[in-house]
Amino acid sequence: MLAARLPGGTAASRRGEAVSAGRFAILALIVLNVVCPTLAGDVVRTFSDSTGTEKFNHLVVDKNTGRVFIGAVNRLYQLSPELELVINEATGPKEDSPECSVLDCPPNVVKKLTDNVNKALVIDYTTTRLISCGSLFQGTCNVRNLHNISDVQHEVKEAVVANNSTASTVAFIAPGPPNPPVSQVMYVGVTFTGNSPYRSEVPAVSSRSLDKDKMFMIAETAVTTGTRMFVNSLARERYHINYIYGFSSEGFSYFLTTQMRNAGPSPFISKLVRVCHDDENYYSYTEIPVECISEDGKTYNLVQAAYVGKPGSDLASDLGITAQDDVLFAVFSESDQSEGEVSSKPSQYSALCVYSLKSIRRKFMHNIRTCFAGSGSRGLDFISPSHPCVLTIACSL
Ligand SMILES: *[C@@H]1O[C@H](CO)[C@@H](O)[C@H](O)[C@H]1NC(C)=O
Ligand SMILES: *[C@@H]1O[C@H](CO)[C@@H](O)[C@H](O)[C@H]1NC(C)=O
Ligand SMILES: *[C@@H]1O[C@H](CO)[C@@H](O)[C@H](O)[C@H]1NC(C)=O
């Protein structure tokens, strides 16, 4: 709600004083210490499940028809633009066990009734389909008819998303190999949930094919490379990356994450992860820290939610960009004070920071140049010590 108000120009965004946030400049910083007030009078329509028991996890709106889709625990809903229920589809609970593969179960495995928590809900506009992914069966996805979500067109036996109720997953569609920007892939970021024959091969970040012949398979693979990135096997049991938001802008795909500063015990920070759309090997995989610091020097270290949109004319001129350029709005929290910065648990204090994608690209460029000049390491000790530093300032799109 705040993000939507900003482009119109709030008092804070009109002040026009760019605040330097250490890593890169942000324009507006609004410190929030309130729960959003309920604007009961402004509510035009509501939808709630008649049983009132299902937790909603994701919501997407079809930009062409205005139809609304909701991914919940054990349910998917298709609503009209007026929020009237059209289809209520049960997705769980079902008999499952972490010892079953996506394909079958050894005969001696004891299965139990398990909830299916919606982990990703994405509209594929190219094929007019809805992709829904749930925690059951090692975290698999289905492709549904966007006009009727009961009509399942592909049930894909491939572990794609997190397999439990809490581990993070972010998925979005953007250009990717083999032929961007014509070809589209699904970018997926997933928290590692434990070693097993079935989960160990699920990458932290990957680009997955949307071709019907290789649906949700890693878009490009070679012997040791491909459109995927793993946290190395030594670190991943304890080094958890939480994926908060994902988006695409001008030839790159980005994820916002929270993670520890380095592989040893260290404070939690927020990061932007970036890969180039035309990179078949993820050589362009780069991370930069993102900071949101208030004028009194308080650091809001944990990103909680974000949105990429276009600025209104006031905000655009304050940021030195045009109204066609992308802007990232992100809400951050401080770590819970009783546990300090080593905690990924947010406190009740939060702040909104606004970044232009132009300044973000500049920061990536600066870091990559510094890396090339030989000063400073890539610092991604939890990924792969030998990963090369590759020039990815511009994508060859
Ligand atoms: C959706 O498709 C199912 C079968 O796939 C059908 O039974 C149902 O009537 C359809 N619902 C709507 C609203 O068209
Ligand atoms: C998720 O996968 C891990 C690794 O296989 C397993 O230990 C864990 O029990 C699974 N979680 C659920 C809820 O099935
Ligand atoms: C899901 O997996 C993550 C990572 O292993 C773990 O920290 C978390 O406790 C798990 N959640 C549940 C509900 O088991």
Side-chain angles (χ1 to χ4, degrees), residues 86-87 148 150-151:
V86 178
I87 296 173
N148 179 347
S150 299
D151 176 9

Side-chain angles (χ1 to χ4, degrees), residues 197-234:
Y198 314 122
R199 292 293 310 175
S200 301
E201 293 311 307
V202 178
V205 177
S206 59
S207 315
R208 292 183 179 265
S209 177
L210 295 170
D211 284 357
K212 66 178 192 311
D213 301 335
K214 46 187 291 201
M215 191 61 85
F216 304 137
M217 288 162 71
I218 304 298
E220 296 285 337
T221 50
V223 178
T224 59
T225 60
T227 54
R228 60 190 162 186
M229 181 59 75
F230 293 96
V231 175
N232 77 54
S233 56
L234 295 175

